[in-house]
Amino acid sequence: MTTTSQEELFRFLEDRFACAQACTECARSCATRASLVDPDGTENQELVRRKGIMCAEVCDATCRVLSEQNQVDEATIRVQVEWCRQVCLESAQVFDDCSGAEQAAQACRACARACTEFLATLN
């Protein structure tokens, strides 16, 4: 194995771990945000709750895919991570309009960035 390929492997593994870690943090933050919303609240509160739940579930599933060593092919990983990135960006936009949801929006954007960086290592 050459130094370049070793460096590429290390970067791939580091970015994969960073993405999984960001997904975990985002899932936790989104689940917390969703649990704080009144289920019988306004239409906007319902949207925040639904986006929080969806984002938590997608981030959790993405973390599991990233944690499975060589059991998932690259195409599946790419689709899952891209889906996670998109859901995180959409959720961050919804959280921007919700007072007190700043931390969840930041976690979503951090996860989307980590997903983008990881996707770049797959190219």
Side-chain angles (χ1 to χ4, degrees), residues 1-76:
M1 182 178 276
T2 66
T3 303
T4 302
S5 62
Q6 284 179 339
E7 289 173 3
E8 290 171 351
L9 176 62
F10 289 142
R11 178 165 181 226
F12 171 80
L13 293 173
E14 287 174 349
D15 287 351
R16 185 174 179 153
F17 178 76
C19 188
Q21 191 172 27
C23 287
T24 299
E25 291 300 317
C26 187
R28 184 178 301 120
S29 186
C30 288
T32 299
R33 173 53 37 206
S35 72
L36 296 174
V37 176
D38 180 7
D40 297 322
T42 65
E43 187 175 321
N44 188 50
Q45 288 175 322
E46 177 60 21
L47 177 62
V48 168
R49 191 174 74 75
R50 281 187 290 116
K51 282 292 184 180
I53 291 168
M54 181 176 177
C55 192
E57 289 177 353
V58 170
C59 285
D60 183 56
T62 303
C63 183
R64 279 186 271 126
V65 165
L66 292 172
S67 299
E68 295 174 0
Q69 299 295 334
N70 300 328
Q71 295 176 3
V72 181
D73 62 44
E74 184 179 317
T76 301

Side-chain angles (χ1 to χ4, degrees), residues 57-112:
E57 289 177 353
V58 170
C59 285
D60 183 56
T62 303
C63 183
R64 279 186 271 126
V65 165
L66 292 172
S67 299
E68 295 174 0
Q69 299 295 334
N70 300 328
Q71 295 176 3
V72 181
D73 62 44
E74 184 179 317
T76 301
I77 291 172
R78 185 182 305 278
V79 168
Q80 182 68 42
V81 173
E82 179 56 40
W83 183 35
C84 184
R85 187 186 75 77
Q86 188 61 41
V87 168
C88 285
L89 291 174
E90 291 172 7
S91 297
Q93 289 177 339
V94 169
F95 294 151
D96 284 341
D97 295 333
C98 178
S99 178
E102 296 83 9
Q103 184 179 9
Q106 288 174 352
C108 288
R109 285 191 176 86
C111 187

